[in-house]
Amino acid sequence: MILVVGSINMDVNIRVKSLPKPGETVLAKGITQSPGGKGANQAVAAAKAGGDVVMLGCVGADEAGDALLASLDQFGVNTKYIMRTKDVPSSKAYINISDDSENNIVVDSSANWMVSPEYLLKHEELFRQAEYCILQLEIPSDSVYMAEQLSKKYGVKIVFNPSPIDSFEIRLLENVDTLIVNQTEGEILSQIPADEITDKDWQQLMEAHNIRSVVQTLGSRGSRLYVRDEEAVTFPAMKCEAIDTTGAGDTFLGALIAMYAEGKDDREAFRFAAAASGIEVTRPGTQSAMPTREEVLSKIK
Ligand code: RIB
């Protein structure tokens, strides 16, 4: 079983001609809402890829909360243990998406902040049953740390996506099985500019924190896998016409871990994940834009 501990957001997608620069005001071309949140997106991506996925998180006792749970349910994520709170509303993410499919995101955390270490301890049994635990940084860092401690206690493989990177703390890197970063996150974590970081730097980072592997996503240039004490390998991206890249990294991550949970090797797992995210960016939104396992397999063929 894949346990995802993380955020569940209602995304407010704001289409703009180009992303506003500091101090600039721009007009929206259209606004839509759709279920998102890095945790929820990764859970849906893994479930759509065929994984057995359970999610821990929190939504408000509001209309958005109903819609967020319905989306997770619809795509096959087990939502039985997700908390609902009357104290704060469901979290929202405000996403500007430009004509050239770039985006920037501001998250109003609200209910995500109710995912406490105590709530996770209450569901300790799920950690006993899990094979993988997927974590990001849209919930309190103490809770991410607790999820890591529980994972270590039961030998669960920790998959850590330090996003948003401004909440990153070094203690969260220890004993991670797979660290998944984009270029900006890699740069901030390693404190080395993206075009200067070498394979040796990644090896040193893995050794210093007892990390088994690092996956660096490189957008249209594919992804690079660093395994401790092994040669790094680059895997290609799938060629596609992107219209909305929101959730591309989440799709890649969820699909990749679902493949690993099935026992697939790196080559097969990366090929599947690249195709899944390559399809996702050709459609608007995140969870509904993610392809099913069958769609990905037929694309790969
Ligand atoms: O990674 C994309 C996600 O980031 C969006 O769905 C949004 O909710 C933010 O969490």
Side-chain angles (χ1 to χ4, degrees):
M1 180 263 279
I2 300 169
L3 178 62
V4 180
V5 181
S7 57
I8 310 171
N9 304 335
M10 182 54 80
D11 289 350
V12 181
N13 309 295
I14 308 166
R15 280 265 167 202
V16 289
K17 192 158 169 268
S18 51
L19 299 180
K21 296 177 189 62
E24 189 188 9
T25 303
V26 296
L27 298 181
K29 294 168 70 176
I31 301 184
T32 56
Q33 295 207 19
S34 57
K38 293 183 196 302
N41 291 346
Q42 293 170 10
V44 167
K48 279 190 163 181
D52 170 17
V53 184
V54 178
M55 174 143 196
L56 288 176
C58 180
V59 296
D62 47 20
E63 243 180 72
D66 293 341
L68 293 169
L69 290 181
S71 180
L72 289 166
D73 281 332
Q74 180 194 347
F75 296 126
V77 176
N78 181 342
T79 58
K80 188 171 163 196
Y81 308 96
I82 292 178
M83 192 184 4
R84 295 205 76 165
T85 178
K86 288 197 172 106
D87 299 339
V88 287
S90 295
S91 308
K92 277 195 170 171
Y94 297 89
I95 309 179
N96 295 319
I97 306 160
S98 68
D99 281 351
D100 56 0
S101 80
E102 290 299 322
N103 67 45
N104 56 30
I105 306 179
V106 177
V107 179
D108 166 16
S109 292
S110 304
N112 289 333
W113 238 240
M114 306 297 274
V115 178
S116 62
E118 295 71 34
Y119 158 72
L120 298 181
L121 275 172
K122 216 172 106 193
H123 295 294
E124 181 165 346
E125 182 55 31
L126 291 174
F127 289 84
R128 192 195 299 271
Q129 294 165 24
E131 185 189 353
Y132 286 91
C133 176
I134 300 180
L135 297 160
Q136 330 72 29
L137 290 175
E138 288 183 332
I139 58 170
S141 54
D142 281 350
S143 305
V144 176
Y145 188 68
M146 174 57 81
E148 290 188 343
Q149 297 312 306
L150 290 170
S151 296
K152 284 169 205 166
K153 181 170 173 188
Y154 295 107
V156 182
K157 295 185 193 109
I158 301 166
V159 179
F160 181 39
N161 173 216
S163 181
I165 192 72
D166 63 351
S167 307
F168 172 70
E169 293 175 18
I170 199 84
R171 66 174 171 155
L172 303 174
L173 278 188
E174 300 310 313
N175 306 316
V176 162
D177 185 77
T178 307
L179 175 71
I180 305 197
V181 292
N182 63 21
Q183 275 172 289
T184 314
E185 291 152 6
E187 204 165 50
I188 294 173
L189 267 180
S190 62
Q191 299 183 326
I192 302 171
D195 50 358
E196 285 175 27
I197 189 161
T198 63
D199 292 3
K200 199 171 156 212
D201 295 320
W202 285 117
Q203 287 294 339
Q204 278 172 355
L205 184 106
M206 288 190 279
E207 196 177 332
H209 300 285
N210 194 28
I211 296 169
R212 192 192 65 86
S213 66
V214 176
V215 175
Q216 192 178 25
T217 54
L218 305 165
S220 57
R221 291 191 291 122
S223 54
R224 196 156 165 82
L225 170 67
Y226 304 88
V227 178
R228 204 149 143 214
D229 301 325
E230 288 181 21
E231 285 277 305
V233 193
T234 300
F235 294 95
M238 195 189 78
K239 283 206 174 67
C240 57
E241 284 292 317
I243 62 152
D244 179 1
T245 56
T246 316
D250 299 333
T251 308
F252 185 91
L253 187 155
L256 184 77
I257 301 308
M259 290 300 109
Y260 277 148
E262 250 182 51
K264 297 283 191 282
D265 63 17
D266 294 331
R267 201 181 59 87
E268 270 193 88
F270 274 76
R271 193 162 62 145
F272 187 97
S277 58
I279 297 172
E280 193 267 350
V281 299
T282 63
R283 304 166 177 171
T286 55
Q287 295 173 19
S288 61
M290 290 169 186
T292 59
R293 179 187 179 91
E294 292 67 35
E295 281 179 288
V296 177
L297 291 176
S298 84
K299 190 80 183 178
I300 288 173
K301 258 193 222 155

